[in-house]
Every structure is written in C-alpha cells, then in structure tokens.
Amino acid sequence: MSAGARGIIVASALLTAVGFLPPHWHLPVGIVAWLLIRFGTGDVHRTFGRPLRWVQGLLLLCLLGALFGPGDTRTLGFGWSRSGALAGSTMLVRAFALLALTSFAASVVPLRRWSAGIRIPVVRTLIEVVVVASNLVPVQTRALTAASSTLSERLPGLRRLPRRLWLLAVHGALRAAMLAESVAFDMAIASHNTPERRRESP
Amino acid sequence: MKGLAAYRFWGYAATFGALWGAIEITVGSFAHAIKLPFSGVVLAGVGAAMLVAARSVLPARGLVLAAGAVCAGVKLLSPAGAVIGPMVAILVESMLVEVVLMPAGANPVSGAAAGGISALWALTQKVITQTVLYGMPVIGIYVGILKQAEKTLHLPASGGMWVAGGFVGLVVLVGATLGVVGSLVGASARRKLAAEVP
C-alpha cells in the first residue's frame, strides 16, 4: 500500500472518529493520527505546516471556546466552558483531518492526467488554473501578513487603522496584478512547451 | 479567446481568485468557526470589492466570473469544515457582480451596486439555507423577532416590516461601501501599474 493510500485511510478514520466519538476523545485520537501520519506516510506531512502552529491554533481555539462557550464549569470561582474548550479541540482535529485527507487525495489522484482528458478547453483550463491558484494561496497569505506587519510598524495606532487597511488593500491588488502577469507568462511558456494538440488551450 | 490576452485573463483570474480564496480560507473559516454574527455579509462585501478591483485593473468581460470559479475551486480544496455553503455563495456573488459590472465596467457607482447586491445575497442565502435545513418555522421565528424588535424600538405596527427594511438597508449599505472602496482600490492600483510600465 502506498504512503498516499495509508494517509487517506488514517485521515478518513480520524474524520469518522470525530463524527462518532464523544468530544473528549477527539484530541487524543487526533494526536495518535498525527503520529501515524508523521512517521508512516513519507513527506506529505511537510505540507501541513509547522507542528507549533497547530499547537498555537489549538490553544487559541480552546481558549476562545472556554471563554465564550456555555458556562458549565467553575474552577477557583471562575466560570468557564468545558464543552466550549472541547469544541475548540474538535474544530482543530477536524481541520487537520480534512487537510490531511485533501493533501493525500491530491497526492494520489492524477489531477493533471484527468484534466488532460477533459475535452472542453475552458473547463480544462479552469481546472489547471484552480491548481495554480491553490499553490498561490499560501504565497498570497504570506505576502499579506508581511505587508500587514510592515504597515503596523510604520503606521502604528488605532487612529491610523483606516489608512493601514487602505494601503494593505492597494498593496494586495497591486501584488495580485503583478503576480498575474508572471503567471500568464509561465502559462504561455508551459503551453508553448506542450505538444501541438494541447496548445489551443486556453 | 487566444494569444497573450487569454493567458493574462487566466493569470488575473488565478491571482485574484487565490487572493479571495486566501481571505475566505483564513478570515472566513475563523469567522464561521467562532460563529461571528453576519460575517457572511462582510465577507461577501469584501469579495465583491476584490472582484470590482480586479475588473478595474483588467477590464475584461468574464474575469469576475472566472475569478469566482477559481476561488470556489480553491475553497473546495481548503481544509475548512464548511465548504459547500461558501462555495455556492462565492459562485452566485461572482455571477451577480459580473452581471452588475457588465454594462459600464468598474466604477464607484457600479461598485456600490455590486457590493450591495452581494451583501444582500449573503443574507438571502442564510435565510434560504436555514429554511431548507430547519423548515418553514424558521420564517415564523424571524417574523417574531422582527415584531419584538418593533415593539422594543416603539415603531408603528407593520408586522416587522420597518425593522426588516432598516436591517436590509444597513446590510446593503455595508456592502455598497465596500464595493465603492473596491473600485477606488482598483483605480489606484491601475494608476500605479500604469506609472510602473513605461
């Protein structure tokens, strides 16, 4: 069995467990699934992001859930929500399971071969563009985060928030437009390098 | 459509679709996860603003629809739990914005109309989804809430129409404002790009 198929099985089992087991089991099951994926499915887990990020997400979601969920627990006179905190861990485990499932499915499914088999040029191009755009999402997210941090340093304070948002929006549109030109150039070169029968696309 | 113009068209659809997808996946998923009220309306307005800006930077017919389809595809591949609802919203919003921008292209007036209609669709989809999921009693609950709000605000009795009208007006205003901002952002980006390219 290939690493991709093993990963799909683990991720599907995790999703099923999230659906059927009580909430307090979700985090332990999620950790077991993460270990299985980390040590049993090759390099695909590297695309999931750093483990520390997941821990940070877990803490944030559990904290939000504990603070804003229905108050069902009291500790040292402070009322907080145990079910809310568990819902936070469930959200994170489910997100991890879905990410793992889509990543492993994408690594197994021959999307490029399928898209090449589609006869309608616009649909085929659209599928190819979606694959390109999926790879661009982390790039755009990182660029927006970096621009936001720079603007926060240069224009600090709540009073300058509208100005910051405006500059961030213009920067995002400009960056997208410049990136579009290079994507178009790459697509033209890729099309030029493919056999003649496929060159009519897009 | 052939030649370099076609590649530019798909390049812009890919990058603006990815940008919208990035916002939908990060901000949208978080807002939906913590059940932030009316996050769909704001996200619809932001999406419309981005589409208006894209159409302003590259005034090509069909670009908005293509960017929406790309964003929906990106959302399909995203790790977020709720995918179908946002995908339908993205596709319908891009269709509405494309239709609104078709006659006169992207400008502040058409941007306002596109943003307003997108925000209105987000609200409509929410009501339709809840009616499909929970049945017609949902409408009764909403009418009850509107009547109660009417009493609380000491408005003349109209079966909740005043409150509903005011609320819908507020939603459209939020969307329209974001749409105008989108057209201004697009115009500013276009000017800067024109200044960069000799």
Side-chain angles (χ1 to χ4, degrees):
Chain A
M1 188 188 288
S2 68
R6 276 201 303 275
I8 288 174
I9 290 170
V10 173
S12 306
L14 181 57
L15 267 180
T16 313
V18 168
F20 289 99
L21 289 177
H24 60 269
W25 279 104
H26 294 170
L27 189 57
V29 172
I31 291 169
V32 171
W34 178 78
L35 286 170
L36 285 172
I37 286 171
R38 170 74 179 77
F39 295 107
T41 57
D43 279 344
V44 180
H45 74 273
R46 289 187 198 284
T47 59
F48 296 175
R50 284 178 294 169
L52 190 64
R53 286 273 182 194
W54 287 96
V55 175
Q56 283 173 351
L58 176 70
L59 291 176
L60 179 70
L61 287 172
C62 287
L63 184 70
L64 285 173
L67 290 175
F68 298 113
D72 54 12
T73 308
R74 287 194 83 79
T75 307
L76 299 171
F78 177 72
W80 58 285
S81 173
R82 185 171 180 271
S83 57
L86 286 173
S89 70
T90 300
M91 273 156 55
L92 188 103
V93 172
R94 194 178 60 183
F96 175 76
L98 283 164
L99 176 67
L101 190 62
T102 49
S103 300
F104 284 113
S107 73
V108 169
V109 172
L111 269 180
R112 287 206 167 275
R113 209 174 64 206
W114 285 2
S115 66
I118 294 172
R119 294 275 173 252
I120 307 162
V122 175
V123 177
R124 198 171 66 195
T125 308
L126 183 63
I127 292 169
E128 287 171 359
V129 170
V130 167
V131 173
V132 171
S134 302
N135 295 328
L136 287 176
V137 169
V139 178
Q140 302 271 50
T141 311
R142 273 198 298 273
L144 279 179
T145 311
S148 172
S149 302
T150 311
L151 284 169
S152 297
E153 283 171 15
R154 287 187 186 170
L155 299 166
L158 200 62
R159 217 160 38 87
R160 289 167 167 174
L161 182 67
R163 175 91 182 130
R164 278 207 303 274
L165 286 176
W166 167 260
L167 288 173
L168 187 65
V170 174
H171 172 85
L174 258 177
R175 195 185 153 76
M178 287 173 169
L179 200 58
E181 297 291 341
S182 74
V183 168
F185 192 60
D186 287 347
M187 285 170 77
I189 290 173
S191 174
H192 182 265
N193 290 338
T194 51
E196 191 66 36
R197 66 185 171 77
R198 288 202 57 211
R199 204 180 289 172
E200 72 273 14
S201 160
Chain B
M1 201 189 303
K2 283 180 183 174
L4 196 59
Y7 294 115
R8 285 188 82 208
F9 176 90
W10 284 109
Y12 275 80
T15 52
F16 277 92
L19 187 62
W20 191 9
I23 290 173
E24 278 284 338
I25 289 167
T26 50
V27 183
S29 298
F30 184 73
H32 285 299
I34 64 168
K35 306 275 181 206
L36 196 69
F38 306 111
S39 56
V41 169
V42 177
L43 280 168
V46 170
M50 208 170 303
L51 294 175
V52 172
R55 179 68 190 263
S56 184
V57 174
L58 185 75
R61 281 193 176 182
L63 175 68
V64 166
L65 202 56
V70 169
C71 180
V74 168
K75 186 77 186 170
L76 183 67
L77 299 174
S78 84
V83 170
I84 302 297
M87 264 184 72
V88 172
I90 288 165
L91 285 172
V92 174
E93 279 158 26
S94 59
M95 269 184 240
L96 291 172
V97 174
E98 179 70 53
V99 169
V100 171
L101 298 186
M102 205 173 270
N107 57 54
V109 176
S110 60
I117 208 163
S118 289
L120 194 58
W121 170 255
L123 193 67
T124 311
Q125 187 179 333
K126 194 169 183 67
V127 175
I128 291 172
T129 310
Q130 288 186 347
T131 311
V132 169
L133 279 175
Y134 305 114
M136 286 308 280
V138 167
I139 302 292
I141 292 170
Y142 277 127
V143 171
I145 291 170
L146 289 173
K147 283 180 180 170
Q148 186 59 44
E150 199 173 68
K151 265 187 207 165
T152 310
L153 295 169
H154 303 295
L155 291 169
S158 63
M161 292 308 285
W162 281 107
V163 180
F167 181 67
V168 169
L170 189 67
V171 165
V172 171
L173 187 67
V174 169
T177 308
L178 287 166
V180 172
V181 171
S183 76
L184 296 177
V185 165
S188 176
R190 197 181 56 216
R191 276 198 302 274
K192 285 182 196 298
L193 276 175
E196 287 284 325
V197 180

